[in-house]
Amino acid sequence: MISNQVIQNSIDELKTITKVDYCVYDVDSGKVAGTVEELPFSESVIDDFFDSRADSQIINGCHFLKVMDGSQVAYVLIAMGFGDEVYMMGKIAVCQIQNLIVAYKERYDKNNFFQNLLLDNLLLVDIYNRAQKLHLDVEKKRIVYLIETKSDKDNLVMELLKSLFIPQSGNYITAVDERNIILIRELDDTENDSDITDVANTIVDMLNTEAMLNVRVAYGIPVNELKDVSKSFKEAKMALDVGNIFYSHLRIISYEKLGIGRLIYQLPVNLCRIFVKEVYKDALPDEIDDEILVTVNKFFENNLNVSETSRQLYIHRNTLVYRIEKLEKAIGLDMRKFDDALTFKIASMVVDYMRYLDNIE
């Protein structure tokens, strides 16, 4: 239902325009809003009008009018004064409040609809029926962005996002938990992968500038039907999780670019443990020297190029070779060979995944 403050603001504006005082009461005869403090009659008079069959009535020189919510009486509006002009001003006020009721109900219903849609809580027939009532195009191309804030500024973030992605353009912003904010965005037929990434960059830059937040944004694959929005949401959620495990240095994570990380994320834990034990043999991942790990990771970044890696690390070529051979003695893998390097890279990512699971537990 509409907040009392919204109704108060509305009748304050109406009084400024019409020069007529108004009071609004709810079904419990409680005063919701008003431009005057006292009324020239008791609250029992309002009760009697609520119970009457009349839509409007003149009582003690004031116009009483019922504000309907569908077939139910939501409020009684009292226009202070007598005559046709005051009655017309009262009817205008009633229309204003009834329009607010419809708008707020639709807003609530949309939020409820999208939350249930994202969580797969709706049957296919319900999706189409409710979409029709909410005036949503079921065949528009859409994508889901997941914004991880890790702060207590969610309300500010929501307002900033709403200023950038207005509902009139087919965008919708909601949340299904306390950690992330969700943007469901309609796409034009001309938008490509680069445009989608640019939107994610815009979100990161705006929230960094306006809210001083270092957020992360993940997004799924565009879908062509409303019923598949939950699929894009699940992909965005997986992208965010996989990004937190394997690509923590990235601010923007796309589901389509998760690579090996997505595969490892879906592996059974027991299989991960067996694989790590086979790769590291008698050694433990935590026992590998940090200096060696930094060297090997830089070696991977430079596509197993010894000269370029030693140059970037400011070490002699022989020092680099010594570190690589030291790791080979520990686990039996030569990082200068592609197959061995690939095996170690995957094993390192599996170790990161297992540490992530241990932290959750």
Side-chain angles (χ1 to χ4, degrees):
M1 189 59 71
I2 319 169
S3 70
N4 293 355
Q5 187 58 51
V6 170
I7 296 177
Q8 182 66 54
N9 292 341
S10 181
I11 64 172
D12 283 341
E13 290 172 359
L14 284 167
K15 180 186 177 180
T16 302
I17 297 168
T18 64
K19 309 303 180 185
V20 174
D21 281 308
Y22 305 94
C23 279
V24 180
Y25 282 77
D26 62 17
V27 291
D28 297 321
S29 298
K31 187 177 178 181
V32 171
T35 58
V36 293
E37 292 297 325
E38 297 182 2
L39 295 175
F41 39 76
S42 64
E43 291 183 355
S44 62
V45 174
I46 302 170
D47 287 333
D48 293 340
F49 179 65
F50 259 115
D51 296 334
S52 71
R53 294 184 178 182
D55 292 331
S56 63
Q57 196 172 342
I58 299 173
I59 303 174
N60 289 9
C62 298
H63 287 279
F64 281 56
L65 302 100
K66 289 179 180 175
V67 180
M68 306 300 293
D69 179 7
S71 59
Q72 302 293 320
V73 181
Y75 302 102
V76 164
L77 179 132
I78 304 166
M80 311 296 290
F82 184 74
D84 293 341
E85 186 176 342
V86 175
Y87 173 72
M88 290 305 298
M89 296 302 105
K91 291 290 285 184
I92 291 172
V94 167
C95 288
Q96 175 79 358
I97 296 173
Q98 287 182 164
N99 288 335
L100 284 172
I101 291 173
V102 172
Y104 271 73
K105 283 182 69 176
E106 183 170 306
R107 177 179 171 182
Y108 170 79
D109 288 345
K110 270 191 179 180
N111 191 59
N112 182 267
F113 169 74
F114 276 115
Q115 286 181 344
N116 282 296
L117 179 67
L118 292 168
L119 296 173
D120 275 336
N121 291 338
L122 295 172
L123 298 174
L124 188 59
V125 65
D126 292 332
I127 292 174
Y128 287 108
N129 287 340
R130 293 184 64 179
Q132 185 177 15
K133 291 178 181 178
L134 296 170
H135 311 293
L136 296 171
D137 191 334
V138 296
E139 294 186 349
K140 273 284 186 181
K141 191 175 182 182
R142 294 177 173 89
I143 190 170
V144 174
Y145 291 89
L146 203 57
I147 300 104
E148 182 186 59
T149 61
K150 290 185 177 178
S151 78
D152 56 356
K153 296 182 179 180
D154 284 0
N155 290 335
L156 174 60
V157 173
M158 291 277 269
E159 291 305 315
L160 289 171
L161 289 172
K162 286 176 182 177
S163 68
L164 187 62
F165 302 99
I166 59 174
Q168 288 83 349
S169 299
N171 305 306
Y172 199 79
I173 298 163
T174 187
V176 295
D177 57 44
E178 296 178 353
R179 295 175 56 244
N180 308 304
I181 294 171
I182 300 160
L183 166 64
I184 303 168
R185 182 170 169 266
E186 281 191 11
L187 301 177
D188 295 331
D189 294 334
T190 58
E191 290 188 74
N192 54 32
D193 292 343
S194 178
D195 297 321
I196 291 169
T197 304
D198 287 344
V199 170
N201 276 309
T202 300
I203 294 171
V204 170
D205 292 342
M206 180 191 69
L207 294 179
N208 186 20
T209 304
E210 302 293 335
M212 303 298 289
L213 290 175
N214 195 17
V215 303
R216 307 187 75 198
V217 177
Y219 57 91
I221 299 173
V223 295
N224 295 315
E225 294 189 43
L226 185 63
K227 67 181 178 65
D228 295 324
V229 164
S230 63
K231 180 173 177 287
S232 186
F233 168 65
K234 290 172 185 173
E235 291 167 349
K237 193 172 185 304
M238 179 183 284
L240 192 60
D241 287 342
V242 173
N244 283 330
I245 301 169
F246 305 116
Y247 315 112
S248 58
H249 60 288
L250 298 178
R251 296 291 95 198
I252 295 168
I253 310 107
S254 166
Y255 175 80
E256 288 187 304
K257 297 178 181 178
L258 292 178
I260 295 174
R262 189 173 83 195
L263 177 63
I264 294 172
Y265 182 77
Q266 295 172 309
L267 290 175
V269 178
N270 289 337
L271 185 60
C272 291
R273 289 197 178 98
I274 292 170
F275 179 69
V276 169
K277 189 173 182 180
E278 288 175 351
V279 172
Y280 283 88
K281 297 182 172 58
D282 295 331
L284 294 174
D286 292 336
E287 293 176 353
I288 304 296
D289 194 319
D290 288 341
E291 186 179 56
I292 291 178
L293 290 177
V294 170
T295 302
V296 170
N297 286 329
K298 182 62 71 174
F299 190 48
F300 291 158
E301 288 177 15
N302 289 292
N303 300 313
L304 312 186
N305 187 311
V306 174
S307 299
E308 182 61 23
T309 304
S310 57
R311 185 187 70 80
Q312 290 187 17
L313 290 174
Y314 303 103
I315 59 175
H316 194 274
R317 178 189 178 94
N318 291 343
T319 304
L320 176 62
V321 172
Y322 167 76
R323 292 177 184 176
I324 291 173
E325 289 177 346
K326 187 176 180 182
L327 180 61
E328 183 181 358
K329 288 179 182 177
I331 62 175
L333 295 176
D334 185 354
M335 297 302 113
R336 291 164 292 187
K337 296 178 181 178
F338 176 77
D339 286 348
D340 285 359
L342 180 61
T343 300
F344 183 75
K345 177 65 175 176
I346 294 173
S348 299
M349 294 178 73
V350 171
V351 169
D352 289 339
Y353 175 54
M354 292 174 64
R355 286 171 178 162
Y356 169 79
L357 294 178
D358 289 341
N359 288 335
I360 292 176
E361 291 176 0

